[in-house]
Structures are given as C-alpha cells and as structure tokens.
C-alpha cells in the first residue's frame, strides 16, 4: 500500500493533469468539523503563518480538502520560510511544521552551527498518478510535500541532490533529518529509495510507516 501511495514523479502526461480546471468548488465546509478546527488551532499554536483554503474538487479523483496555504513555520528562534507550496492538507502541515522546527532547524544548528532560514520545496498538490501506475499519488490530495533544499541563516544552501553524497556534514545533516521525518510522516522517500527521488525528500501523510 505504501508503494502505491508514494510516487512523486510522473510522466509528462501525468504531470499535465495538474492543470485541470476545477469542476466544483465548495466554500470552506471542512472548517465546520471539530477535527478540522482542532487542526487549525494546533497549526496556529505552532507559530506557523498560513491561511485556510476553500475545498476544491478537480475531477479524476483529485481534490484539496481541509487544506491551507502554508508560508512560514515556527522555529525556536523565529519563523522559518517555506517556498513553493500550494495547498497542503492541514494534518500534513502540522506534521511538517513539527519536523521543520524539531528535526531540521535543531539539526542545522547542531551540525552546521547556524539556524535554518528557509525550506525550499518542489510543491505539494499535483493531480498525478504514482509513477508507472494508474493509481493516484498522495500529491493528488495535497497529502504529500517534496522537499529539495534547505538554506541556513549564514547563507549556506544544502540541497538533497548535491548534498546526499557530498561533505561529511551535509551527508550527516540530510540523513538525520530523513530519520527525523520517518517519525512524523507515514511515508518518507529519499535518494536511497530510487532514481525518481534523487533530488528530494518525499514526505507523505499517513498512518503507516514506510521509510526509505
């Protein structure tokens, strides 16, 4: 099941489906549910900067429900910028905020001696299939984020692609935060999983535990 949900990179045909126009729009019904309100409250208390989004249904099984636009997350020393994110399911945003603060920022300070300033992502929602299959990816529900790089306050940039097998510090940092992610997300895939993930960490919402 984890393999079925995890794929990030689809064919050009699969990628093009992300531009499908919404066939239905419902204005914020999810936020009336207690669990959704609780999720928003938790995200707010974490120090994140975000905005709730209306539910959207794009056809072909793709949707963004109970989602937020996440711009910054809270760190120990201040806000941490997050780039290139569209809609993110609120529970995933909460997991991501916790990982960014307690996993990534603290690892950066411990290993590099500099706080984290920015997490660069490759996006979240995309109406596409798991690569090589006919099954929808978790990205099609805004329940996955692909992370490509991290920028420190001192200006250093550590990318997954260049850093996975680079200096000792970069290798240590990326593997520490990979292990940390495995404690917070249902599926975590990195460069050691397959060639499709050579340049990013795939972080996926879920109740299981598939870490590669």
């Amino acid at each position: 099941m984890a393999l079925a949900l995890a794929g990030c990179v689809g064919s050009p045909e699969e990628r093009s489906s992300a531009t499908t126009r919404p066939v239905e729009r419902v204005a914020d019904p999810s936020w009336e549910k207690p669990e959704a309100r609780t999720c928003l409250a938790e995200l707010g208390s974490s120090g994140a900067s975000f905005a709730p989004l209306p539910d959207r249904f794009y056809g072909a099984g793709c949707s963004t429900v109970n989602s937020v636009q996440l711009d910054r997350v809270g760190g120990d020393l201040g806000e941490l910028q997050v780039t290139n994110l569209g809609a993110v399911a609120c529970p995933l945003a909460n997991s991501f905020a916790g990982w960014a603060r307690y996993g990534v920022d603290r690892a950066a300070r411990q290993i590099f001696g500099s706080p984290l300033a920015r997490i660069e992502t490759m996006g979240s929602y995309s109406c596409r299939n798991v690569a090589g299959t006919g099954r929808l990816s978790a990205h099609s529900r805004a329940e996955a984020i692909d992370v490509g790089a991290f920028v420190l306050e001192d200006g250093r940039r550590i990318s997954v692609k260049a850093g996975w097998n680079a200096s000792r510090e970069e290798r240590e940092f990326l593997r520490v935060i990979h292990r940390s992610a495995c404690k917070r997300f249902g599926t975590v895939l990195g460069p050691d999983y397959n060639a499709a993930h050579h340049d990013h960490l795939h972080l996926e919402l879920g109740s299981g535990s598939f870490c590669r």
Side-chain angles (χ1 to χ4, degrees), residues 86-116:
V88 179
C90 184
L92 175 63
N94 264 313
S95 295
F96 184 83
W99 174 70
R101 179 172 188 170
Y102 301 111
V104 184
D105 186 27
R106 292 185 179 182
R109 282 184 280 141
Q110 180 178 356
I111 295 170
F112 295 111
S114 174
L116 180 69

Side-chain angles (χ1 to χ4, degrees), residues 8-66:
C8 291
V9 180
S11 68
E13 292 78 10
E14 291 167 337
R15 288 177 179 272
S16 67
S17 64
T19 62
T20 303
R21 294 181 64 83
V23 296
E24 181 181 357
R25 174 183 281 187
V26 182
D28 301 331
S30 296
W31 308 122
E32 299 302 322
K33 299 178 181 179
E35 62 270 24
R37 290 182 178 275
T38 299
C39 185
L40 280 182
E42 290 176 356
L43 189 58
S45 66
S46 74
S49 175
F50 66 95
L53 296 174
D55 292 353
R56 289 185 171 91
F57 301 87
Y58 295 89
C62 297
S63 62
T64 55
V65 176
N66 187 18

